[in-house]
Amino acid sequence: MCALRAVVCRALCSVSKPFRRMTIQSGSVMSARDRSSQAGNKRNALRWDLTPDDIRTSTDSLINRVKAVYDDIGSLKIENVSVENTLKALAHAKLDYASSLHVLDFPQYVCPSKEVRAASTEADKKLSEFDVEISMREDVFMRITALQKKLQDNLSPEEKRFLDRLVTLGKRKGLHLSKDMQEEIKRSSKLICKLSIEFNKNLNEDNTFLVFSENELGGLADSFLNGLDKTADGRYQVTLEYPHYFPLMKRCHNPETRRKMETAFHSRCKEVNTAILEQLIQLKAKVADLLGYSSHANYVLEINMAKNASNVSDFLDSFYETLKPIGVKERKYILALKKRDCLMKGYRFDGQINAWDLPYYMNQVEQCKFAVDKDKLIEYFPLDVVTEGLLGIYQELLGLKFTEVEHAHVWQENVKCYSARDTETGEEVGQFYMDLHPREGKYGHAACFGLQPGCRGPDGKRRLPVAAMVANFTKPRKGWPSLLQHHEVETYFHEFGHVMHELCSKTTFSEFSGTLVETDFVEVPSQMLENWVWEKEPLKRMSRHYKDGSPIPESLLDKLIASRVANTGMMNLRQVVLGKVDQSLHSSPRADTAEVFAKHCQDILGVPATPGTNMPASFSHLAGGYDGQYYSYLWSEVYSMDIFCSRFKKDGIMNPKVGKEYRRVILEAGGSVDGVDMLKTFLGRGPCQDAFFQCKGLKSQKTPTL
């Protein structure tokens, strides 16, 4: 990912398939109804102490349980299908599956034990193959389509949406095609799942670090250096984890040090993951062709808000045209800064902006134009203070109360578990985990993982949703607390927005729970809540000096807020690059991924890719549910800014009435309503781009309704 800002380089915030979720059961096969009822009675029974053998046994048990339900449905006489024995039976099986997977495949991202992570990865592969098998049950599909023809009325809106979705997904799996084509699609789909898991496993297990002398790390703060391990000869070990990589790239004076770091960062798993990614591109293009689509991009976009690749291309092109002149000006200014810097420090000026120059000089822009003292600023954002402020703001805004769960089962001693309750009714809304620091083998980005859905069970009662926020903020060290850079505070607010989307969900079916919305809508709630870290009053609530508890000086606060428009052209052009790269890779039957990335970097951003690197080989979105859909970050931000400016900024950013309406209309609905319809309800009109460009300090030449 790029080092320009956290929102650009954040990885999977959620994925198109639900992250697997589980309460362990073994032994005899239960009905979906019995399992769901039992799961509801064990709200605080999530266990994280499974052995590899437990995971293997439980994986087989789960597969057998769910398969039995599908077998029952597939054996029904066509004329006997009903809502009860087909639609509701499938819903109960899906809820059982969604509520019974997290202990199996979530540990691969967070468990301290390498053996358990490996077993979890293998379970994920096995379950992914099973996903393909049950999604391509032609016998079940025939009964679903028969039920759709039989039932024209007498369904609730969400029941009809669920039934229509099942039919649509069946057709998108090729179940209306010949047996031979179905088998080919199935084989390719299983291989796609396996390769995607391998791609991300390679990144999670990467533990590369570089060694530098103190002189080579000139410009970095003592708080950073004190957090590094040292070699026997006194040199510093710098990993490629976010808390090391980004501060170094932004602050280190030595261009050679930055070059080495940038090269290593964008060479992670280069050989193995380049081969995997390019095979994935070919396989996805092949499946799309078998299904009658012109490209994989068009295939995945059909069920998104954007609908097709042409609309995405128009969207990205319009942004590029608006941002291009701003980008030209910003590059000229950055190049002038570099020339002056080289003269002052005695470095050779090569007349161009390199990839390892960009984050450093963009940081210089903030200091030169806005005089933001980053060394001083970070002292006011100790993690515990930010957490206290963040939780308080979310509670007040959404009408919730968070309480830490004592003696909760967790996967690592520093992980915390919280219960969320509605402030008016006292009802428990859900639970969430916070796993905030890096460690070996842990998922390397920031993400929200849905662990249990918030929907109705067979008894009609709401099941308690559970989610986990996983991040990689600097660890506290002796004499130094964990101090966050402002962009990390922004990331914190973003990912916790996803957590709230998961917890506030009140859908009938697990299929629509929480973040299971259109991929180009999923970032809207989380991006909208980033705005609070750019407003004065919320910033005061989430900051205090780590030594004496004093507030941020007003002058520093004003400079920080003003700096929001710094580098806005280059940052958003970087998003256009990533969106274009993703679209290009998934609009072709095959691709040289390094070449495609280098071309778009040069053509759009005006900065060459570092020779010998291949950023897409570590671009986890491409193998984690955002393939053909990375444009969603920009697309969603347009909507999120419209929501913030039109409702919250207008009526008060801490207005509980607006906050509760937002919770009801946007968060509780999950994917049970189309994203555009939720927007129209909350905004009272169709969305437009004006607020986005105004917030970025830009003026849009066109402000169409999306």
Side-chain angles (χ1 to χ4, degrees):
M1 305 292 174
C2 78
L4 303 187
R5 67 169 188 166
V7 73
V8 178
C9 62
R10 273 184 210 109
L12 300 125
C13 300
S14 64
V15 292
S16 57
K17 69 172 184 176
F19 269 111
R20 305 231 171 77
R21 312 139 171 166
M22 178 160 208
T23 316
I24 288 299
Q25 289 289 334
S26 58
S28 61
V29 173
M30 303 182 189
S31 71
R33 182 183 296 274
D34 291 340
R35 279 283 303 130
S36 297
S37 295
Q38 191 179 78
N41 293 328
K42 290 192 172 184
R43 289 186 165 190
N44 298 307
L46 305 192
R47 300 299 301 242
W48 305 102
D49 52 1
L50 297 182
T51 67
D53 284 341
D54 291 333
I55 290 176
R56 284 187 282 271
T57 301
S58 299
T59 300
D60 292 338
S61 176
L62 174 60
I63 288 172
N64 290 334
R65 283 202 313 276
V66 176
K67 184 178 181 297
V69 177
Y70 274 70
D71 288 345
D72 288 344
I73 296 169
S75 65
L76 290 170
K77 291 183 178 180
I78 293 289
E79 61 271 19
N80 291 340
V81 296
S82 67
V83 170
E84 192 67 32
N85 66 23
T86 303
L87 189 67
K88 289 187 177 179
L90 276 172
H92 298 161
K94 284 177 175 286
L95 174 57
D96 178 20
Y97 195 51
S99 299
S100 302
L101 287 155
H102 56 82
V103 171
L104 297 178
D105 77 348
F106 180 55
Q108 69 185 293
Y109 300 101
V110 297
C111 187
S113 165
K114 187 171 184 177
E115 291 74 20
V116 172
R117 292 199 305 271
S120 176
T121 299
E122 290 307 308
D124 195 6
K125 291 177 183 177
K126 195 167 188 175
L127 288 163
S128 293
E129 286 198 7
F130 180 62
D131 288 345
V132 175
E133 288 286 347
I134 62 172
S135 70
M136 297 192 70
R137 287 284 296 261
E138 187 179 11
D139 53 349
V140 175
F141 178 68
M142 289 171 62
R143 278 127 188 101
I144 295 167
T145 53
L147 184 64
Q148 187 186 48
K149 292 174 183 175
K150 188 176 182 180
L151 289 176
Q152 299 298 326
D153 303 302
N154 301 322
L155 289 176
S156 70
E158 193 172 335
E159 286 175 333
K160 184 179 186 305
R161 185 180 180 86
F162 182 45
L163 180 57
D164 291 346
R165 178 178 176 82
L166 291 174
V167 173
T168 297
L169 292 178
K171 290 179 179 178
R172 286 173 57 79
K173 290 295 183 181
L175 298 182
H176 59 301
L177 303 176
S178 69
K179 291 284 188 183
D180 288 345
M181 292 181 74
Q182 287 184 39
E183 286 302 314
E184 185 60 32
I185 291 168
K186 185 185 293 187
R187 281 194 296 271
S188 297
S189 297
K190 286 183 176 181
L191 185 52
I192 287 169
C193 290
K194 179 182 177 182
L195 291 171
S196 298
I197 292 166
E198 282 295 323
F199 184 98
N200 283 298
K201 177 192 173 185
N202 293 335
L203 291 175
N204 292 342
E205 296 295 334
D206 182 78
N207 56 7
T208 303
F209 65 86
L210 282 70
V211 177
F212 297 108
S213 66
E214 185 172 356
N215 185 56
E216 289 174 306
L217 297 177
L220 290 161
D222 288 342
S223 58
F224 177 84
L225 296 176
N226 290 335
L228 300 177
D229 291 329
K230 286 187 176 183
T231 61
D233 61 0
R235 292 186 297 165
Y236 293 93
Q237 294 181 4
V238 185
T239 73
L240 301 182
E241 294 170 350
Y242 283 6
H244 288 180
Y245 177 74
F246 289 117
L248 185 148
M249 294 303 294
K250 290 183 176 183
R251 303 299 304 279
C252 183
H253 297 331
N254 191 317
E256 181 60 15
T257 300
R258 299 197 309 270
R259 186 193 66 78
K260 289 178 179 177
M261 279 293 288
E262 203 276 339
T263 300
F265 189 74
H266 286 139
S267 297
R268 287 171 296 156
C269 309
K270 186 181 72 170
E271 302 302 328
V272 62
N273 273 6
T274 296
I276 289 175
L277 180 58
E278 293 180 0
Q279 188 178 357
L280 281 171
I281 290 166
Q282 292 182 46
L283 286 167
K284 290 172 182 178
K286 175 185 174 182
V287 171
D289 182 60
L290 289 170
L291 291 168
Y293 294 86
S294 60
S295 68
H296 177 68
N298 273 322
Y299 169 70
V300 295
L301 292 171
E302 181 183 53
I303 56 174
N304 277 7
M305 298 176 78
K307 301 305 180 188
N308 58 60
S310 177
N311 288 338
V312 173
S313 180
D314 290 345
F315 172 75
L316 293 173
D317 286 344
S318 69
F319 265 65
Y320 173 62
E321 290 304 318
T322 302
L323 296 167
K324 184 178 179 180
I326 294 97
V328 169
K329 290 180 181 178
E330 290 179 358
R331 280 198 302 272
K332 286 181 178 178
Y333 187 79
I334 286 172
L335 199 58
L337 283 179
K338 179 178 176 179
K339 185 175 182 180
R340 185 185 70 176
D341 195 43
C342 287
L343 287 171
M344 290 175 63
K345 294 186 172 71
Y347 296 123
R348 185 181 69 85
F349 177 61
D350 59 8
Q352 71 173 21
I353 302 170
N354 302 298
W356 59 88
D357 294 324
L358 204 52
Y360 177 77
Y361 288 107
M362 287 174 72
N363 188 60
Q364 293 294 308
V365 169
E366 292 184 39
Q367 293 184 16
C368 293
K369 285 193 172 183
F370 300 94
V372 178
D373 186 340
K374 294 291 183 70
D375 288 339
K376 191 66 177 173
L377 187 63
I378 195 173
E379 296 178 359
Y380 290 92
F381 289 118
L383 178 59
D384 59 341
V385 173
V386 175
T387 300
E388 178 188 341
L390 176 145
L391 296 180
I393 289 167
Y394 270 93
Q395 288 176 100
E396 183 178 331
L397 192 65
L398 299 179
L400 299 171
K401 179 176 176 58
F402 305 142
T403 306
E404 186 174 350
V405 178
E406 295 185 5
H407 311 300
H409 289 287
V410 293
W411 51 87
Q412 200 268 345
E413 60 182 1
N414 294 322
V415 176
K416 293 183 178 181
C417 179
Y418 293 83
S419 170
R421 293 185 178 274
D422 184 274
T423 51
E424 291 184 2
T425 66
E427 174 194 8
E428 189 170 23
V429 172
Q431 294 185 355
F432 60 91
Y433 296 92
M434 304 277 263
D435 184 352
L436 303 180
H437 299 297
R439 57 182 174 271
E440 185 177 351
K442 181 184 168 184
Y443 181 75
H445 306 285
C448 166
F449 292 80
L451 302 179
Q452 289 192 154
C455 60
R456 289 184 198 164
D459 57 3
K461 296 180 181 178
R462 179 175 178 265
R463 291 294 176 259
L464 190 74
V466 182
M469 180 180 162
V470 177
N472 287 277
F473 302 136
T474 305
K475 292 179 183 178
R477 305 275 290 204
K478 186 177 180 181
W480 290 92
S482 175
L483 299 175
L484 302 189
Q485 299 181 61
H486 181 258
H487 75 79
E488 292 178 303
V489 178
E490 187 177 45
T491 295
Y492 202 167
F493 263 71
H494 176 101
E495 298 304 342
F496 199 76
H498 284 308
V499 172
M500 291 296 98
H501 202 175
E502 292 283 355
L503 262 63
C504 292
S505 173
K506 287 188 176 180
T507 61
T508 300
F509 301 109
S510 61
E511 192 85 358
F512 304 127
S513 176
T515 56
L516 295 180
V517 299
E518 300 104 313
T519 305
D520 49 7
F521 188 77
V522 74
E523 300 299 333
V524 171
S526 50
Q527 287 179 333
M528 198 281 292
L529 287 151
E530 290 177 18
N531 288 287
W532 271 253
V533 308
W534 293 102
E535 298 287 329
K536 185 170 287 189
E537 291 309 311
L539 280 168
K540 288 181 177 179
R541 290 179 60 169
M542 66 182 86
S543 61
R544 289 194 302 272
H545 197 277
Y546 78 97
K547 286 184 177 178
D548 59 17
S550 59
I552 298 181
E554 286 287 330
S555 59
L556 185 56
L557 203 55
D558 290 338
K559 289 171 183 175
L560 170 64
I561 293 170
S563 74
R564 187 175 193 179
V565 298
N567 305 301
T568 189
M570 294 297 281
M571 286 194 295
N572 286 286
L573 282 171
R574 174 66 172 188
Q575 287 290 66
V576 173
V577 168
L578 297 179
K580 284 284 192 179
V581 167
D582 175 38
Q583 287 295 301
S584 176
L585 295 179
H586 293 106
S587 296
S588 306
R590 61 185 54 82
D592 181 326
T593 52
E595 182 181 303
V596 169
F597 179 74
K599 180 181 186 303
H600 283 88
C601 265
Q602 186 64 63
D603 292 351
I604 296 172
L605 200 60
V607 176
T610 302
T613 65
N614 185 22
M615 180 271 182
S618 57
F619 192 4
S620 55
H621 293 75
L622 302 182
Y626 273 78
D627 42 312
Q629 301 165 93
Y630 190 84
Y631 74 92
S632 299
Y633 282 92
L634 266 180
W635 181 279
S636 296
E637 196 171 1
V638 170
Y639 295 135
S640 69
M641 291 310 306
D642 201 5
I643 290 174
F644 176 72
C645 293
S646 301
R647 294 299 312 274
F648 287 97
K649 190 77 170 176
K650 180 181 177 182
D651 298 327
I653 60 171
M654 292 306 302
N655 186 322
K657 183 178 179 182
V658 179
K660 288 177 183 177
E661 184 185 353
Y662 173 76
R663 174 181 158 189
R664 177 179 60 81
V665 174
I666 305 293
L667 302 184
E668 290 183 1
S672 65
V673 180
D674 285 348
V676 70
D677 292 331
M678 283 188 265
L679 288 168
K680 288 177 179 176
T681 299
F682 190 71
L683 294 171
R685 57 162 172 78
C688 66
Q689 297 182 4
D690 294 23
F692 175 88
F693 286 104
Q694 289 169 7
C695 172
K696 302 296 182 184
L698 307 168
K699 290 186 177 179
S700 175
Q701 296 173 348
K702 298 179 181 179
T703 54
T705 296
L706 294 176

